[in-house]
Amino acid sequence: MKAKRKRKRGEGTRIDKILVSVLQRRFKSITEEMGLTLLRTARSPILCEARDFVTGLYDAKGRMLEQTEYIPVLAFALQPVCQYLVEYFGSDVYPGDVILHNDVFTRGNQLADVAVFKPIFHEGHLIAWAACKGHQADIGGPVRGGYNPEAREVWQEGLRITPVKIYERGAFRKDVWDLIFANIKLPIVEEDIRAEIGGCEMGVRGVLSLIEKYGRKVFEAHVKYLFNATEKMMRHEIEAIPDGTYEGESYVYYDGFHEGSRFRIHVTITVKGSDIYFDYLGTDPQTEGFVNAPYGASVSAIILTFLMMVNPDIPHNDGIIRPIHIHIPEGTFLNVKFPGASTFGNSITGPHSDAIIKALAKAVPERVTAGWNRMHSLVLFGKDPRKEAPYVDIMFNALKGGSGATHGVDGYDHIGLINCAGGILAQDPEMFELTDPHILLKHEYVTDSGGAGQWRGGLGVETLFKIYGEEVTGVVMGDGVEEDARAFGLYGGKAGILNKIELFYPDGCVYSPKSKEIVKGIHKGTIIHQIAGGGGGYGDPCKRPVERILKDVQNGVVSIEKAMEDYGVVIDPLTMRVDKEETRKLRNPK
């Protein structure tokens, strides 16, 4: 008898396309269950309220099966790390292992964003990974909270955690755990890492239930088909973009050391058939300060921005990134070279996205948005006198500006940063006061903050609160305070308003900090005033229907003055009626 040809793993398995769809949706459901577990068990408001985390599943090679993007800039930074773990540990991975990682020079995106990975085994075979990554309230280093605008190298930012097992074959590594957390200032971080471990355990259970139901070979064969089908969907989207080369640029302002400094992002995007190439030759060298991004954060920025311009129903797995090719020269400030500082890297996503949007606006004008408001944050830490305990808060509720408008749709109000893309939630006002030694005085939309346009930019917000904490320090880290950094308009649309932070001290002094600065000795009774700007407008403002502008004025979104100045609509302040004749003269001058 002739020897039978040995079949490769999964070869010959009949593909059931309905099962492919079922698996894809079940993967999504599992990552959502992981997220709910983390959301309900984490302690820090950064996680349990703002939802600054991501959950994901990956195959045995570290390729993304699915993810739930509570914050997209974290989501697309997980696959490179998982693939690194596969390379790093090789066969030295066992059931019951739990691995911790945050290192930006081994494919992480920010030291404060700590990831937990758990391998999933079935009958002795590694079949998948479950992962959670969340922003921690502290990660060691000289500044509590993990943001140090004075850092010049990575060791001045926090603790680097290269891949390390905190559980090995199910046994808790107390020595490793104690070594890590002896270098972190806040006990709450230990509890939040345990919450991440719990989220991963939900992922393990979910995947094993699928294996037990369908079998490992069927599972692997259908995952392979899912990846290929997703790649085909993404290639179809790219083919809809006209072939060509498109260039865009934007700037990041001030590195924390050199007044007036600015740094250029230059991207050349080339579309060839069903492939798209992002090349950053011409981008400025890395800065002296922390205004740099590690490669992982920049890749995440590219992918999340591009995904805004394609079919939103494409599954998020390894297939979507196969046709995307990226070149970011090492040593530029979008691919920081060791040992440079890079904590601001996630927040560079805003200006990075600006460059991509400006480039692709020339190719797909009806798919892009106008500019989004940029990051401008005040991280506060000190002692809460009610508890005689330390606290840290990133003040998410105050930094959420507006998004840019797009063709046919106004921008979102108070949505937050493009790298969060609606994932980050503002704190509940009552929880804000319970968690922090602060009293909220005002939190409102800002009239006229969104850029005028046929479709208006999203509104920003104004926030005032009083501090009664002790030994309080503020870390300002942001952008968007320079005129050229306002959220830009497109096709005749106007820019959103600027960001602003002011401190009103009890003695009557008013202090306006720089966009990257540590503000020490904030006294009890100080009032913080912050404005998060609006998004840019899209299209000629004079094409916006008069009745919509009247409604905007009635709702306090647009002032009567700006209705006339920007939109050419005259409204009587007493009757709140449109003066049709004067409006016609303004909109259609002869």
Side-chain angles (χ1 to χ4, degrees):
M1 293 179 65
K2 291 183 179 180
K4 292 184 178 179
R5 182 174 62 90
K6 188 176 180 181
R7 287 183 173 179
K8 294 181 180 179
R9 193 182 210 182
E11 185 179 307
T13 301
R14 177 178 170 274
I15 297 298
D16 181 343
K17 293 182 180 180
I18 293 177
L19 179 56
V20 173
S21 181
V22 168
L23 286 175
Q24 187 272 318
R25 284 160 174 78
R26 182 62 185 130
F27 290 151
K28 184 67 175 177
S29 177
I30 293 169
T31 61
E32 289 172 349
E33 291 168 4
M34 294 167 66
L36 288 173
T37 300
L38 180 51
L39 189 68
R40 297 291 183 261
T41 56
R43 289 281 313 283
S44 169
I46 299 170
L47 300 176
C48 67
E49 283 206 89
R51 307 192 309 175
D52 193 348
F53 65 85
V54 64
T55 58
L57 297 173
Y58 305 85
D59 75 358
K61 296 181 179 179
R63 298 174 298 188
M64 181 167 51
L65 293 170
E66 188 53 84
Q67 59 194 17
T68 290
E69 299 119 347
Y70 291 93
I71 172 169
V73 76
L74 296 187
F76 294 103
L78 272 175
Q79 174 166 310
V81 177
C82 195
Q83 291 174 324
Y84 180 77
L85 297 186
V86 172
E87 298 167 12
Y88 184 86
F89 286 105
S91 61
D92 188 25
V93 178
Y94 306 97
D97 285 356
V98 178
I99 299 166
L100 209 60
H101 178 275
N102 80 339
D103 181 37
V104 296
F105 291 106
T106 52
R107 306 184 194 175
N109 64 294
Q110 186 185 67
L111 294 186
D113 295 331
V114 181
V116 171
F117 289 85
K118 192 164 186 179
I120 305 172
F121 283 81
H122 180 259
E123 296 180 348
H125 296 277
L126 176 64
I127 54 171
W129 295 78
C132 294
K133 176 181 275 195
H135 189 110
Q136 302 304 315
D138 185 73
I139 196 60
V143 180
R144 193 190 308 168
Y147 292 105
N148 181 12
E150 297 176 358
R152 291 179 181 261
E153 57 186 20
V154 66
W155 297 290
Q156 296 171 342
E157 297 186 288
L159 177 66
R160 289 177 64 199
I161 306 172
T162 53
V164 62
K165 295 183 182 182
I166 50 177
Y167 281 80
E168 188 166 21
R169 304 190 193 214
F172 178 53
R173 293 293 307 273
K174 188 176 187 299
D175 54 345
V176 176
W177 184 273
D178 287 347
L179 174 64
I180 292 169
F181 290 100
N183 290 283
I184 293 175
K185 303 178 185 71
L186 301 178
I188 198 172
V189 178
E190 292 186 65
E191 299 169 38
D192 287 343
I193 293 299
R194 292 189 186 279
E196 288 193 29
I197 295 171
C200 288
E201 179 58 27
M202 292 300 295
V204 172
R205 295 178 190 177
V207 171
L208 287 178
S209 70
L210 289 175
I211 300 295
E212 290 164 5
K213 184 173 183 178
Y214 299 109
R216 183 164 59 89
K217 289 186 177 180
V218 170
F219 175 88
E220 291 174 343
H222 283 71
V223 164
K224 181 179 179 180
Y225 186 92
L226 172 62
F227 286 170
N228 291 337
T230 302
E231 178 184 357
K232 185 177 179 180
M233 293 175 70
M234 176 55 82
R235 289 191 178 280
H236 178 72
E237 291 294 310
I238 295 171
E239 286 172 344
I241 303 172
D243 279 5
T245 299
Y246 310 96
E247 296 187 47
E249 68 178 36
S250 65
Y251 290 85
V252 180
Y253 298 88
Y254 184 51
D255 64 353
F257 292 100
H258 303 95
E259 294 288 345
S261 56
R262 69 175 193 167
F263 307 91
R264 184 175 79 147
I265 297 171
H266 184 270
V267 59
T268 301
I269 302 174
T270 302
V271 179
K272 292 182 179 179
S274 65
D275 289 275
I276 187 166
Y277 301 81
F278 294 80
D279 192 332
Y280 287 83
L281 191 65
T283 294
D284 281 347
Q286 66 190 64
T287 75
E288 279 192 67
F290 78 152
V291 184
N292 300 299
Y295 183 79
S298 293
V299 168
S300 293
I302 294 166
I303 295 172
L304 74 88
T305 305
F306 183 61
L307 287 183
M308 293 171 58
M309 304 175 198
V310 299
N311 180 358
D313 295 325
I314 296 178
H316 287 184
N317 59 52
D318 182 71
I320 64 172
I321 60 178
R322 291 176 179 176
I324 301 173
H325 311 279
I326 297 168
H327 174 240
I328 309 174
E330 186 181 30
T332 61
F333 81 104
L334 293 184
N335 185 7
V336 63
K337 189 175 182 179
F338 181 81
S342 64
T343 307
F344 197 68
N346 283 355
S347 301
I348 293 176
T349 300
H352 189 167
S353 295
D354 288 351
I356 295 171
I357 289 169
K358 289 175 181 178
L360 288 177
K362 303 159 190 172
V364 284
E366 294 189 2
R367 292 192 186 187
V368 298
T369 70
W372 290 47
N373 182 61
R374 294 190 181 186
M375 168 78 162
H376 198 59
S377 173
L378 178 64
V379 181
L380 289 171
F381 62 87
K383 186 172 74 173
D384 188 336
R386 300 168 300 179
K387 310 168 187 175
E388 288 297 313
Y391 81 97
V392 173
D393 201 319
I394 300 180
M395 303 303 302
F396 283 117
N397 52 354
L399 64 80
K400 290 163 61 68
S403 80
T406 189
H407 185 272
V409 183
D410 289 346
Y412 284 98
D413 305 325
H414 192 221
I415 190 175
L417 315 170
I418 197 167
N419 52 299
C420 305
I424 292 290
L425 297 184
Q427 279 183 268
D428 176 271
E430 292 182 354
M431 288 301 298
F432 169 71
E433 294 183 341
L434 284 170
T435 304
D436 299 337
H438 305 153
I439 298 174
L440 187 63
L441 304 175
K442 183 179 184 181
H443 188 57
E444 298 179 1
Y445 289 133
V446 180
T447 301
D448 296 328
S449 55
Q454 183 176 0
W455 295 285
R456 174 183 50 76
L459 295 181
V461 292
E462 179 181 20
T463 306
L464 278 94
F465 60 94
K466 181 181 285 189
I467 292 173
Y468 63 89
E470 299 170 350
E471 304 167 16
V472 176
T473 296
V475 178
V476 181
M477 41 170 275
D479 211 347
V481 296
E482 292 81 7
E483 183 65 25
D484 289 342
R486 294 163 65 187
F488 61 88
L490 280 179
Y491 307 112
K494 297 192 175 184
I497 66 168
L498 291 171
N499 292 320
K500 180 168 69 173
I501 292 177
E502 296 175 307
L503 284 72
F504 292 84
Y505 291 111
D507 62 3
C509 291
V510 180
Y511 182 63
S512 298
K514 298 174 183 176
S515 62
K516 287 90 178 173
E517 181 178 350
I518 299 175
V519 184
K520 299 178 180 178
I522 299 176
H523 305 297
K524 183 177 182 178
T526 297
I527 293 176
I528 308 294
H529 178 222
Q530 183 167 348
I531 290 179
Y538 185 109
D540 182 355
C542 287
K543 292 183 178 180
R544 188 171 179 84
V546 171
E547 59 272 16
R548 294 195 67 179
I549 297 166
L550 177 61
K551 187 175 181 180
D552 285 342
V553 171
Q554 291 170 339
N555 290 333
V557 173
V558 176
S559 67
I560 288 177
E561 294 76 19
K562 283 291 184 179
M564 182 172 67
E565 179 183 334
D566 289 343
Y567 293 98
V569 175
V570 180
I571 298 173
D572 188 303
L574 297 178
T575 64
M576 293 300 288
R577 293 180 178 175
V578 175
D579 186 323
K580 295 182 179 180
E581 181 58 26
E582 291 300 316
T583 296
R584 185 191 63 77
K585 291 178 182 178
L586 282 177
R587 288 195 150 194
N588 300 292
K590 292 183 179 179

